[in-house]
């Protein structure tokens, strides 16, 4: 229990100090910010996105598919978005995943960086 609490506290400290650059496709956290996408359905679809409700609040947003979706990876630098674990990981220290499907910011994610699975996060 104590290890879990320490891990959560460490995660909170690290993410609180990490400024996000919404123009960076490998941004620090897949958190929704309406300013990072097209602001209207017409512009969204013209740019190849899909205007749809996301997250628990079901706020409409422009979701764009990544060209390398599903490609095998061991680090986010190999993907347009993040490298994410799929299902249960057999070995968190030698992890492989797949490139993120799209830029939908919500859901449960376990990023893989340098072949190591990070602590999973849930964004909604």
């Amino acid at each position: 229990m104590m290890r879990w609490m320490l891990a959560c506290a460490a995660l909170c400290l690290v993410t609180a100090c990490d400024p996000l650059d919404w123009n960076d496709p490998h941004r620090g956290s897949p958190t929704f910010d309406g300013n990072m996408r097209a602001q209207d359905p017409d512009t969204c679809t013209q740019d190849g996105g899909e205007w749809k409700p996301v997250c628990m609040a079901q706020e409409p947003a422009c979701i764009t598919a990544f060209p390398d979706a599903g490609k095998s990876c061991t680090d986010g630098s190999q993907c347009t978005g993040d490298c994410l674990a799929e299902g249960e990981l057999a070995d968190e220290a030698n992890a492989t995943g797949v490139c993120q499907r799209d830029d939908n910011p919500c859901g449960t994610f376990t990023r893989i960086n340098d072949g190591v699975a990070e602590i999973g996060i849930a964004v909604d």
Side-chain angles (χ1 to χ4, degrees):
M1 179 70 168
M2 182 60 118
R3 292 176 85 190
W4 182 83
M5 289 173 36
L6 288 173
C8 287
L11 180 63
C12 289
L13 287 173
V14 169
T15 57
C17 298
D18 185 21
L20 300 178
D21 177 0
W22 292 107
N23 296 317
D24 178 5
H26 300 290
R27 57 190 177 269
S29 173
T31 305
F32 178 73
D33 177 339
N35 294 323
M36 69 183 202
R37 297 185 178 85
Q39 295 296 303
D40 65 85
D42 292 336
T43 304
C44 176
T45 54
Q46 287 172 5
D47 292 343
E50 180 183 355
W51 188 259
K52 64 182 185 178
V54 297
C55 303
M56 185 180 275
Q58 295 293 287
E59 290 290 328
C62 185
I63 304 301
T64 306
F66 291 132
D68 54 1
K71 180 183 103 177
S72 182
C73 58
T74 57
D75 189 79
S77 65
Q78 300 165 338
C79 304
T80 303
D82 287 321
C83 180
L84 303 176
E86 273 194 328
E88 295 294 319
L89 292 171
D91 183 358
E92 293 180 6
N94 295 304
T96 59
V98 295
C99 291
Q100 188 175 354
R101 177 180 64 234
D102 56 34
D103 62 355
N104 186 338
C106 298
T108 302
F109 304 90
T110 299
R111 279 195 229 111
I112 298 175
N113 288 309
D114 294 325
V116 178
E118 296 180 354
I119 295 173
I121 59 171
V123 179
D124 200 30

